[in-house]
C-alpha cells in the first residue's frame, strides 16, 4: 500500500550535476525520516544522506559538501541535489522512508526500487 518512487537518475559527465527525487504514495498516516542510499553490484548498500521530518540533514562523508538533501513542505517528497559528481558516485540510488502505514501501528521502513546514476570520466 505504501510505495516510494525515485526519479532523476541518468548519465552525466564527471563534474556535472543531477537532482534525484523520491515521493511516498499510498495509504499512510505519517512519514518520518527519509533518506538516500546507494549500492554498487557486489557491495553493501550505503548511506548517502538522510533528512528528518524537521528537515535536519545528515550526510555521509562521501556526500558532504557536494550533495544537498531537501524535503518539500508536505514532507512526503525528498530531493538529492548532486554536484561535482565523480565516477565513484556511480551506483543505483535508493530512497528510504520511515512510514506508519494506514491501519498499522508500527513504524516500518520502505524502499524504492532505485534509480541509476552513472558518471562518466
Amino acid at each position: 500500500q505504501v510505495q516510494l518512487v525515485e526519479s532523476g537518475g541518468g548519465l552525466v559527465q564527471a563534474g556535472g550535476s543531477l537532482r534525484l527525487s523520491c515521493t511516498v504514495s499510498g495509504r499512510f498516516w505519517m512519514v518520518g525520516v527519509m533518506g538516500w542510499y546507494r549500492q554498487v553490484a557486489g557491495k553493501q548498500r550505503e548511506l548517502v544522506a538522510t533528512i528528518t521530518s524537521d528537515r535536519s540533514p545528515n550526510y555521509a562523508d562521501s556526500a558532504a559538501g557536494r550533495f544537498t538533501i531537501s524535503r518539500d513542505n508536505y514532507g512526503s517528497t525528498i530531493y538529492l541535489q548532486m554536484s561535482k559528481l565523480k565516477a565513484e558516485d556511480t551506483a543505483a540510488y535508493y530512497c528510504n522512508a520511515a512510514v506508519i502505514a494506514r491501519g498499522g501501528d508500527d513504524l516500518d521502513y520502505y524502499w524504492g526500487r532505485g534509480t541509476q546514476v552513472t558518471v562518466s570520466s
Side-chain angles (χ1 to χ4, degrees), residues 7-76:
S7 64
L11 176 65
V12 65
Q13 292 183 338
S17 300
L18 283 174
R19 191 181 77 154
L20 308 182
S21 64
C22 170
T23 299
V24 179
S25 64
R27 298 179 179 179
F28 58 89
W29 293 117
M30 62 167 286
V31 181
V33 66
M34 298 181 69
W36 290 98
Y37 297 74
R38 66 187 184 188
Q39 187 172 25
V40 178
K43 294 185 177 181
Q44 290 205 59
R45 192 168 297 182
E46 66 177 19
L47 168 73
V48 178
T50 62
I51 186 166
T52 68
S53 58
D54 291 330
R55 295 173 177 80
S56 178
N58 181 55
Y59 298 96
D61 289 341
S62 60
R66 298 188 298 121
F67 296 180
T68 300
I69 189 168
S70 60
R71 193 161 181 166
D72 70 355
N73 291 332
Y74 185 73
S76 59

Side-chain angles (χ1 to χ4, degrees), residues 75-93:
S76 59
T77 299
I78 60 168
Y79 305 90
L80 185 68
Q81 179 65 50
M82 303 184 292
S83 62
K84 300 179 180 179
L85 284 162
K86 306 173 182 179
E88 48 264 46
D89 294 319
T90 296
Y93 284 71

Side-chain angles (χ1 to χ4, degrees), residues 88-109:
E88 48 264 46
D89 294 319
T90 296
Y93 284 71
Y94 294 88
C95 182
N96 179 265
V99 180
I100 298 179
R102 190 171 183 176
D105 297 324
D106 299 324
L107 183 69
D108 294 320
Y109 289 86

